[in-house]
Amino acid sequence: MVGQSTGSGSVHEGILRRQSARESAARTYARALPIVPVRARGLTIEGADGRRYLDCLSGAGTLALGHNHPVVLEAIRNVLDSGAPLHVLDLATPVKDAFITELFRTLPPGLADRARVQFCGPAGTDAVEAAFKLVRSATGRTGMLAFTGAYHGMTAGALEASGHAFDVRVTRLPYPQDYRCPFGVGGAHGAELAARWTESVLDDPKSGVPRPAGMILEPVQGEGGVIPAPDTWMRRIREITAARSIPLIADEVQTGVGRTGAFWAVEHSGVTPDVMVLSKAIGGSLPLALVVYRDDLDVWEPGAHAGTFRGNQLAMAAGTATLAYVRENRLAERAAELGTRMLSQLHSLADEFPCVGDVRGRGLMMGVEVVDPEAEAGAEGEPGVEGEGEGEGCVGGTSAGGRGGLRSGSDSSDSADGRAGASPTALDRSDRAVGRADALTAVRSPRPASPELAAAVQRECLRRGLIVELGGRHSSVVRLLPPLTITDEQAAAVLDRLADAVAAVARGHTRPDEPHPTHPSRRRAGARAERAG
């Protein structure tokens, strides 16, 4: 890290002071991350105070290629130098045509050959609103189905479908997870129970839920705590909705463009949704949002949905460059491979530190849930039963339980004895019953989430030059969203700094003025990462 000079420090402090005095109380990231970025490249940000940081926030997942990637900058410069109009409403342009062509190259099989695209306002929440309006127009129905823990945006309709809504006009369904399973069982059985609950709500004439206009889900819940949906559950949900003519909306705002180890997260399960909501990375760091949907849903009249800034030419050019770079350089496959290695190393934190309750994720979308190490397991209330404000869970083959959790596959078997070829003797059945009981106890008894310790880990990360986000029901999940271009050397530095931060919090050494005793190998890793950035 670069040392802080008196002059740069005064500029840094002055900007932060004016921000606090003049900006809205609704600001969020600026509170937990009191930095003033002035330069950035790839994974690295340099602040006005002269310090350098490894950025694992990536614009909340927007920066698939990191900051100021050369292909993105070149695409933007080419449009600026060409004299092309920058604002065109929804008129056809060569820039838009190139973007849609590249987008269609990447869409899941079964959707690209019959897709329609609607550009809308520049944020993901605008695309969610458009998707709701679309399926309501197409079906003539009004209700929506969403899932506990969901996050779909901050406008009125998107908030109604999100997990922290208060004025609820959307039916909530259980989202499967292991660590804090809503049914107290976890694994494949918990996912099956979640699917059966969905079927029951839809088929029971006395459930109080009329046939809905659509269902929206995230293939990996991000703000909900980094919870990947099991692939078998995703396929069941697709079957359930298709059989009842309910359009399935996949919110790929944060999971898309290679983030989870597939170009689109729905591809892990082989599911083809009826509607996809896209934003963040598709704009190549600039504001862009759109809805992609089956052509038979395209019943809108001209002008039924619009948006003044739906024709952002610079964002389309940057998005085309980003989509093509991710596709041509196989960055989704790279995210899958590197993410698996990083998660494997993160699991050691759960083994070493009682304050790490769970580690989970998919690709380069990872989360570490921080818990109260001194509280008794299940102390949050009824063990394993998800209630108001219940903490995050983990799912599947891409997750692993730490203290009070289970390591299991997303399509895992209910069998607990693990002996291949064992005959189903009475003893085997007894062993399996005991194994299931032990597993049930483990899943049903996680320790309470600890937002205070999670915030302390985030602060310690920042002191070490690492930017991370907090998420989850109680803001107790430390989230890693590095760019898909992160190198092995940079990944090692990120993990070292995070491990140092967790260790400092576990020791109780979190005073802002305390020099941290970093192991020499970790200092070398950090230095290598800064040179690479």
Side-chain angles (χ1 to χ4, degrees):
M1 274 179 277
V2 177
Q4 177 178 323
S5 67
T6 303
S8 62
S10 62
V11 171
H12 164 88
E13 294 298 333
I15 292 175
L16 290 179
R17 191 165 51 249
R18 288 188 292 276
Q19 180 187 46
S20 178
R22 299 188 294 204
E23 290 191 23
S24 166
R27 67 190 187 281
T28 54
Y29 296 109
R31 295 179 183 275
L33 302 171
I35 61 177
V36 181
V38 292
R39 279 175 291 276
R41 184 67 175 258
L43 181 70
T44 304
I45 285 178
E46 183 176 337
D49 58 356
R51 297 187 67 202
R52 290 182 181 172
Y53 303 86
L54 302 182
D55 180 14
C56 279
L57 175 57
S58 298
T62 299
L63 305 172
L65 305 184
H67 294 276
N68 293 326
H69 193 281
V71 302
V72 172
L73 296 182
E74 181 182 12
I76 293 172
R77 289 192 187 102
N78 286 343
V79 174
L80 292 173
D81 293 343
S82 71
L86 300 183
H87 190 286
V88 294
L89 297 172
D90 66 352
L91 299 179
T93 70
V95 173
K96 180 196 281 189
D97 184 64
F99 173 79
I100 295 176
T101 299
E102 181 60 40
L103 174 67
F104 274 44
R105 286 195 183 105
T106 72
L107 291 177
L111 182 59
D113 56 352
R114 55 177 307 188
R116 294 290 184 271
V117 175
Q118 170 67 30
F119 291 90
C120 34
T125 189
D126 302 313
V128 170
E129 299 281 355
F132 289 178
K133 184 189 290 187
L134 171 74
V135 297
R136 284 168 172 154
S137 297
T139 64
R141 304 188 290 263
T142 58
M144 295 298 301
L145 299 176
F147 291 87
T148 55
Y151 178 75
H152 298 293
M154 295 299 289
T155 52
L159 274 175
E160 288 177 1
S162 299
H164 56 288
F166 295 101
D167 181 17
V168 176
R169 290 181 289 176
V170 175
T171 299
R172 290 294 189 287
L173 299 168
Y175 193 92
Q177 48 182 298
D178 285 350
Y179 190 58
R180 302 189 191 276
C181 175
F183 303 103
V185 295
H189 187 41
E192 175 60 21
L193 289 175
R196 289 186 185 183
W197 180 274
T198 299
E199 281 188 305
S200 176
V201 166
L202 291 172
D203 295 343
D204 182 354
K206 296 296 185 180
S207 69
V209 179
R211 184 64 56 88
M215 172 191 286
I216 187 168
L217 61 78
E218 299 159 275
V220 181
Q221 286 194 344
E223 300 301 319
V226 192
I227 307 175
D231 295 335
T232 50
W233 177 81
M234 285 285 292
R235 289 189 284 270
R236 286 274 283 118
I237 291 298
R238 174 68 285 190
E239 292 169 0
I240 290 168
T241 53
R244 294 158 181 80
S245 300
I246 300 170
L248 178 62
I249 304 168
D251 184 338
E252 292 261 14
V253 168
Q254 192 167 96
T255 55
V257 195
R259 169 62 56 189
T260 68
F263 210 100
W264 307 106
V266 292
E267 293 178 314
H268 291 292
S269 60
V271 163
T272 300
D274 303 298
V275 183
M276 288 176 60
V277 177
L278 310 178
S279 188
K280 289 192 185 293
I282 63 159
S285 76
L286 298 179
L288 188 66
L290 64 144
V291 184
V292 182
Y293 52 91
R294 282 195 345 256
D295 53 6
D296 60 306
L297 296 173
D298 195 26
V299 299
W300 275 340
E301 296 294 329
H305 193 77
T308 302
F309 293 100
R310 64 192 184 276
N312 189 333
Q313 297 294 281
L314 291 181
M316 290 178 186
T320 302
T322 298
L323 292 169
Y325 192 89
V326 171
R327 177 178 58 82
E328 293 167 359
N329 291 276
R330 303 178 67 86
L331 292 190
E333 291 89 336
R334 161 73 175 166
E337 183 269 332
L338 180 57
T340 298
R341 283 194 278 123
M342 292 181 73
L343 279 170
S344 178
Q345 295 176 63
L346 286 170
H347 290 158
S348 65
L349 295 178
D351 296 331
E352 185 175 356
F353 300 107
C355 65
V356 175
D358 194 36
V359 172
R360 53 186 178 257
R362 199 155 206 175
L364 291 177
M365 189 172 181
M366 295 164 282
V368 176
E369 181 170 350
V370 182
V371 298
D372 184 347
E374 298 180 357
E376 290 188 12
E380 285 179 299
E382 183 68 15
V385 178
E386 185 179 60
E388 181 74 19
E390 182 68 25
E392 308 72 29
C394 79
V395 171
T398 52
S399 62
R403 305 286 196 269
L406 288 178
R407 299 178 189 273
S408 63
S410 59
D411 295 331
S412 61
S413 166
D414 283 336
S415 176
D417 63 359
R419 289 172 289 182
S423 62
T425 64
L427 180 60
D428 289 330
R429 288 194 295 270
S430 176
D431 287 345
R432 283 197 292 271
V434 172
R436 288 192 187 99
D438 290 343
L440 179 59
T441 300
V443 174
R444 286 175 63 89
S445 304
R447 288 191 171 99
S450 179
E452 296 82 8
L453 289 181
V457 171
Q458 185 185 42
R459 288 193 301 270
E460 290 298 304
C461 284
L462 193 65
R463 289 186 58 235
R464 288 156 174 78
L466 176 63
I467 298 172
V468 296
E469 183 180 11
L470 296 182
R473 269 74 154 181
H474 298 288
S475 296
S476 62
V477 177
V478 178
R479 300 189 59 196
L480 297 177
L481 291 164
L484 309 187
T485 52
I486 185 174
T487 66
D488 289 351
E489 186 178 46
Q490 290 172 332
V494 166
L495 294 176
D496 283 335
R497 294 183 191 192
L498 177 58
D500 275 353
V502 172
V505 171
R507 291 192 307 266
H509 295 172
T510 59
R511 294 193 303 274
D513 58 345
E514 179 192 10
H516 57 89
T518 305
H519 190 277
S521 65
R522 291 177 176 171
R523 285 201 299 266
R524 287 195 296 271
R528 289 196 303 269
E530 286 179 3
R531 289 196 300 271

